[in-house]
Amino acid sequence: MDHLTAEFGGAEQMDTAVGPVLQRFSGVRRIAVLRGGGLGDLIFALPAITALRSAYPGAVITLLGTPVHRSLLAAVQSAVDEVQILPFAEGVRPGTEDPAAVDAFFADMQRRQFDLAVQLHGGGRYSNPFLLRLGARHTVGTRTADAAGLERTVPYLYYQHEPLRALEVAGLAGAAPVDLEARLAAAPSAGAAAVLPDDAGSRPLVVVHPGATDPSRRWPVAHFAELAAACAADGCAVVLVGDESDRPLAQRILALAAPAPVVSLAGELDLAGLVDVLAAADVVVGNDSGPRHLAQALGTPTVGIFWVGNMINAGPLGRSLHRVQLGWTTVCPACGIDVTQVGWTAPRCGHDDSVVAGVPVQGVYEDVRSLVSTPRPGRQG
């Protein structure tokens, strides 16, 4: 049986943070960071990117990411200098792979002559060979037992807080943490006033995101409707958000919450608009999903509904501004399979039954009320 050990490439340990902070590489002028996926995946990587910016202040940082990453980073201020869109490639970006497009991507990246390439995209079975093909002078990242080695690696074990995992990788490149969680500020824009209810500025604004990529992570629509109606009855302006795929969920919530004055912007906002609305909110309520993570990064208080396993990997660290309600289900409600075995350790059973359905509405409602009444730094209480 293969045993994973950290690989430090002969470097001396200079400090300790989340993990060892090793010697910095010399002459680093261009850094590539590999992180595909959705909004949340990028937000988890941002503290590591900020650490790299601090350790290598003169370097150009290129994110190898997805279109949604480019759209988000155009709407906020961050440590990323540019985004290059990943080609469709197995285990890196889902889609039909075009070998010619993949070859063209790597030809372009190799011309950039990266000094350092950082793998923040999973265990490395697919992402490490992808990273190595960039031809960077130095490589760091995570790896499972079956993944290709990089110059410096940390073992990839599934249950680890994702931002802290990324910071442990950054430490391999000599980058100590600047912050443990992502901090973002909205870029100058027209603001949220144009899309919010006319009187939203005079009432507490509760923004609700009912979606999640994995249906099993979604709190039931009826629970969201009950919560939205209760918040509206308290005098809050309640606004639903999400992308086009969330529109049906939002419409069902509106129907169930009627006649409460709940408004839906699901499918109506681009990412810049979503940033503005989340930043304007007094509280954002959501599942373990990109918009909730984005709201937290923008400094907006959140109430998150998490399956306990996802809480380990993605939950907020603090409780002053961020509350969590946990679903403790450990077996699939439909077939009984152990859902704590995830990733490559066990196949997904294919059922979409919610593992957070048992989270009570009352608990989420009380958290919302508490945060609405909590004065925020920089805001009038």
Side-chain angles (χ1 to χ4, degrees), residues 48-335:
I49 294 173
T50 300
L52 291 166
R53 164 63 64 222
S54 179
Y56 301 98
V60 174
I61 298 179
T62 299
L63 173 68
L64 309 182
T66 62
V68 72
H69 296 168
R70 177 176 282 173
S71 296
L72 174 61
L73 293 176
V76 298
Q77 302 171 43
S78 77
V80 176
D81 292 303
E82 63 170 355
V83 180
Q84 292 295 321
I85 304 300
L86 290 164
F88 296 118
E90 185 176 8
V92 174
R93 185 181 172 203
T96 302
E97 186 169 327
D98 177 356
V102 173
D103 289 345
F105 172 84
F106 280 112
D108 184 21
M109 295 303 102
Q110 290 164 7
R111 282 193 292 269
R112 293 166 182 263
Q113 297 183 322
F114 290 113
D115 300 294
L116 170 62
V118 181
Q119 192 276 98
L120 302 180
H121 188 90
R125 179 182 298 169
Y126 298 102
S127 50
N128 281 4
F130 190 98
L131 192 85
L132 289 167
R133 195 172 168 185
L134 297 172
R137 288 197 296 119
H138 301 289
T139 57
V140 300
T142 51
R143 71 180 292 257
T144 55
D146 61 348
L150 305 175
E151 183 176 353
R152 301 176 184 177
T153 62
V154 63
Y156 182 93
L157 304 171
Y158 181 79
Y159 283 115
Q160 181 180 5
H161 194 256
E162 291 292 344
L164 299 187
R165 188 200 309 279
L167 282 169
E168 192 167 5
V169 171
L172 298 180
V178 174
D179 206 335
L180 299 180
E181 295 179 297
R183 310 291 173 199
L184 291 173
S189 70
V195 295
L196 291 174
D198 291 340
D199 62 345
S202 62
R203 297 185 288 155
L205 174 60
V206 177
V207 173
V208 177
H209 178 244
T213 303
D214 183 349
S216 71
R217 298 204 309 262
R218 295 177 189 162
W219 205 35
V221 164
H223 291 9
F224 274 117
E226 184 179 344
L227 174 72
C231 292
D234 285 342
C236 297
V238 181
V239 175
L240 310 179
V241 297
D243 60 21
E244 186 61 35
S245 69
D246 296 320
R247 194 190 292 268
L249 295 174
Q251 292 303 314
R252 290 166 58 196
I253 291 170
L254 292 181
L256 291 171
V262 179
V263 174
S264 176
L265 296 175
E268 304 293 336
L269 302 172
D270 60 12
L271 265 174
L274 178 64
V275 165
D276 288 340
V277 169
L278 295 178
D282 290 279
V283 180
V284 171
V285 183
N287 303 305
D288 170 23
S289 62
R292 195 222 66 85
H293 300 306
L294 177 55
Q296 177 185 331
L298 291 166
T300 300
T302 67
V303 180
I305 301 153
F306 283 83
W307 174 61
V308 62
N310 295 137
M311 178 63 192
I312 295 171
N313 285 51
L317 298 179
R319 293 296 173 269
S320 298
L321 298 178
H322 306 290
R323 308 294 167 81
V324 294
Q325 292 286 329
L326 297 180
W328 294 90
T329 299
T330 59
V331 298
C332 172
C335 69

